[in-house]
Amino acid sequence: MPRSFIRRWTPDRTRLSAHPSLAWLGVILHDPHLWHLNRHSVARAFFVGIFCAMLPIPFQMVVGTVAAIYLHCNLPITIALIWITNPVTMPVIFWTAYKLGAWILDTPKRKFHIELTWEWVQNGLLPIWEPLLTGSLLIGVVGGILGYLTVKLVWRIYVIRAWSHRREKRQKKLLKAVRKEMRKSVP
């Protein structure tokens, strides 16, 4: 994966370190592992970000940040991927997770509607929490693994193509130099 493409779409390290909501992390944000752009840190960030995005809990970004620090994966990519679940996509994702969890647990499906209120969390979540959590964890693990493997594969293909391109470029340059020398030697 080209680093310049990733750097273009991720926030600056100093800007993110100075953000007031991340002040509680202190010097931990200065760990260079959290900012590396290599195949391993980006692939781990995809797993953590997608997995945490599917968790049906508040403060997914806190869980993702702690996991990114512990697993030494790229923090900006992890945080960006957690926003897969946002107020627009959250109802569809969690409804799908609930349906999947209800199917896996073989529980009767109940009609419900999600409200982002404390009252709904206390009363409306109780009858559906098991299928919702089961489906969310399954989608998170499978999605995280697919993201991890996709990054590894795409990055590897990019590197192989870059090596091939450089080799072809060197061969053309060498061939050009040989032809130039041959022209000099022919009277």
Side-chain angles (χ1 to χ4, degrees):
M1 223 23 145
R3 288 187 176 114
S4 60
F5 176 78
I6 294 173
R7 282 194 180 111
R8 188 177 329 138
W9 293 101
T10 55
D12 184 43
R13 176 182 181 173
T14 54
R15 192 171 144 219
L16 197 60
S17 297
H19 198 276
S21 65
L22 297 174
W24 62 276
L25 293 170
V27 296
I28 294 173
L29 285 180
H30 299 292
D31 180 7
H33 289 102
L34 300 177
W35 308 97
H36 280 282
L37 283 174
N38 59 43
R39 181 173 39 142
H40 307 294
S41 67
V42 172
R44 282 191 299 255
F46 265 73
F47 179 82
V48 171
I50 293 170
F51 177 77
C52 290
M54 298 303 140
L55 294 176
I57 59 171
F59 307 110
Q60 297 164 321
M61 288 179 55
V62 173
V63 174
T65 301
V66 171
I69 290 168
Y70 181 74
L71 296 172
H72 300 292
C73 51
N74 188 286
L75 182 62
I77 293 174
T78 301
I79 291 172
L81 286 168
I82 290 173
W83 279 95
I84 290 171
T85 51
N86 56 61
V88 174
T89 63
M90 195 179 296
V92 173
I93 290 172
F94 290 152
W95 178 80
T96 305
Y98 169 75
K99 293 289 189 181
L100 178 64
W103 178 73
I104 288 171
L105 297 175
D106 197 28
T107 60
K109 294 176 183 86
R110 300 176 181 192
K111 289 195 177 227
F112 69 93
H113 64 283
I114 296 176
E115 293 177 20
L116 299 177
T117 63
W118 185 249
E119 182 183 330
W120 182 84
V121 170
Q122 289 177 321
N123 302 323
L125 188 61
L126 190 59
I128 64 164
W129 76 270
E130 286 177 328
L132 177 62
L133 184 62
T134 302
S136 295
L137 289 175
L138 183 63
I139 291 171
V141 168
V142 171
I145 290 171
L146 287 174
Y148 178 89
L149 294 175
T150 300
V151 168
K152 288 278 199 174
L153 178 68
V154 168
W155 201 297
R156 183 75 177 150
I157 289 170
Y158 177 81
V159 168
I160 289 171
R161 285 186 179 169
W163 286 347
S164 176
H165 180 68
R166 278 185 288 199
R167 184 178 27 234
E168 288 173 10
K169 199 173 178 180
R170 279 195 307 264
Q171 287 173 347
K172 286 179 183 178
K173 188 176 179 181
L174 182 63
L175 185 59
K176 187 177 179 181
V178 168
R179 285 181 181 160
K180 187 176 181 181
E181 285 297 319
M182 287 178 70
R183 279 189 223 126
K184 285 183 183 177
S185 64
V186 175

